[in-house]
Amino acid sequence: MLILIIYQTLSATFSIIFLFVYYYTIGFFLFPLFFSNIGIHKSRLNEKILIGIISNTLFLYIWNLFFPISKIGFFIFLCICFFFGFRFYSRDYINSFLQDFSFIFFILVFIFSLWLGFLSNNYPGPSDLARNHLQVMKLAENYAIIKGVGNLYFGLAYSCSSWLLTAQFNTLFTTKLFIWTHGSIYLLLGFINFFLIPIFSNDNNKKIENVLRILYFPILIHYCFKCFPGTSSDLPILFYTAILSIYYFKYFYLREQKTLDVIFIISVLGITNKLTFGIVLIGL
């Protein structure tokens, strides 16, 4: 039993790190399409991850209209991203990324990934099975919307974008515990934003912002045990709501105009996960 837990934990940890690198790589190559001011790599980590998620979501929406979600679509999307990346970026810019790379940051990301990997040693709960989340993901992997799922119900596989993303991830990491895989990215980003950034920040001008980030940390720990592993759309909505409130603060209080683009991207991501996120936008 112990050997099985260790094996599953290490496999899960590797998968989480892959997911983190995958979304960052997509955002890295497509960044010039969204932002004109490239800036420093480290300070734009959130933007790159969010661009990776929203770009992948848009691709899957279009791809699944005609084809089931599969490894072929996954690699085609990567080729498209590489094409744009090598067209926009210069060699000096890619070299500057290597100079900004922080080994300590990567070690901390690995530790959090290991923690999430350990938590993943669990099976889907009754709520996941009763609400047909698993069936929706499997339908997306085996049928295109027009040919199959669209004849059953127009909302299947489109009512929550994170289910489509999880289905895509399952084509690479086929495991009985695949249900946790995509939820880990929101928790990992939460640890980075609500713990690593405020703790290691040396900017005295952003003390209030860092306090705001730390306030979300206990809630994040709670969600590690409440909604993970699972397919609840509350988990991404929690992260999008929290990170959006921080960017709202940066825009209205700190007068950082450049955050408007990020606010738009997060808003779209939130609505694709849950239509009621529109109420959250008004509330914020």
Side-chain angles (χ1 to χ4, degrees):
M1 185 65 180
L2 178 61
I3 296 177
L4 177 61
I5 292 177
I6 294 175
Y7 172 77
Q8 290 181 346
T9 299
L10 293 178
S11 299
T13 302
F14 172 77
S15 302
I16 294 172
I17 294 175
F18 172 86
L19 190 64
F20 178 79
V21 173
Y22 168 68
Y23 281 130
Y24 181 87
T25 302
I26 295 174
F28 177 81
F29 283 120
L30 299 184
F31 194 79
L33 294 177
F34 290 82
F35 298 96
S36 58
N37 182 19
I38 293 177
I40 302 174
H41 290 281
K42 285 182 182 178
S43 62
R44 312 308 291 269
L45 178 107
N46 276 332
E47 286 89 330
K48 290 182 173 65
I49 294 288
L50 294 172
I51 288 174
I53 296 176
I54 196 173
S55 301
N56 201 24
T57 300
L58 177 61
F59 173 78
L60 290 179
Y61 276 155
I62 298 174
W63 175 269
N64 198 227
L65 284 173
F66 308 99
F67 307 100
I69 294 177
S70 61
K71 294 180 181 179
I72 297 176
F74 176 83
F75 289 111
I76 289 177
F77 179 59
L78 277 179
C79 291
I80 294 173
C81 295
F82 288 149
F83 170 78
F84 280 105
F86 287 112
R87 183 175 180 180
F88 282 106
Y89 284 134
S90 64
R91 181 177 298 179
D92 293 337
Y93 182 73
I94 295 178
N95 291 335
S96 67
F97 163 76
L98 298 176
Q99 296 174 0
D100 289 332
F101 177 78
S102 174
F103 184 75
I104 297 178
F105 176 80
F106 180 80
I107 291 297
L108 293 173
V109 168
F110 175 79
I111 292 174
F112 283 125
S113 300
L114 187 64
W115 164 243
L116 295 175
F118 175 75
L119 292 180
S120 69
N121 286 282
N122 201 348
Y123 292 95
S127 61
D128 294 307
L129 300 174
R131 295 176 183 175
N132 299 322
H133 296 178
L134 294 175
Q135 292 88 327
V136 170
M137 295 176 193
K138 289 301 180 181
L139 283 171
E141 293 177 32
N142 293 282
Y143 299 98
I145 293 298
I146 290 179
K147 295 180 180 180
V149 183
N151 296 325
L152 301 177
Y153 174 60
F154 74 94
L156 284 182
Y158 277 74
S159 55
C160 183
S161 60
S162 63
W163 297 345
L164 273 179
L165 295 169
T166 304
Q168 179 199 37
F169 196 67
N170 187 46
T171 62
L172 293 179
F173 296 91
T174 53
T175 170
K176 293 181 180 179
L177 301 178
F178 85 96
I179 203 69
W180 63 266
T181 49
H182 199 265
S184 62
I185 192 64
Y186 306 112
L187 292 172
L188 182 58
L189 290 175
F191 281 124
I192 293 173
N193 279 276
F194 311 140
F195 183 77
L196 294 184
I197 290 180
I199 293 297
F200 292 96
S201 175
N202 295 322
D203 192 348
N204 293 326
N205 296 325
K206 295 186 177 181
K207 287 184 177 180
I208 300 179
E209 177 188 334
N210 289 332
V211 170
L212 180 62
R213 291 177 184 268
I214 293 175
L215 289 176
Y216 284 111
F217 187 68
I219 304 175
L220 181 69
I221 296 296
H222 169 69
Y223 267 77
C224 284
F225 299 95
K226 181 179 184 294
C227 295
F228 180 74
T231 55
S232 172
S233 57
D234 293 338
L235 185 55
I237 289 303
L238 164 73
F239 173 73
Y240 291 140
T241 302
I243 199 67
L244 186 62
S245 68
I246 292 174
Y247 280 99
Y248 271 166
F249 175 80
K250 292 162 72 73
Y251 176 73
F252 288 108
Y253 186 77
L254 302 179
R255 306 297 181 183
E256 296 184 11
Q257 299 293 323
K258 62 182 181 181
T259 58
L260 274 178
D261 293 334
V262 187
I263 289 174
F264 174 76
I265 292 175
I266 299 173
S267 301
V268 173
L269 281 170
I271 291 176
T272 60
N273 272 274
K274 218 171 192 177
L275 290 177
T276 50
F277 187 72
I279 304 300
V280 175
L281 293 177
I282 298 174
L284 284 174

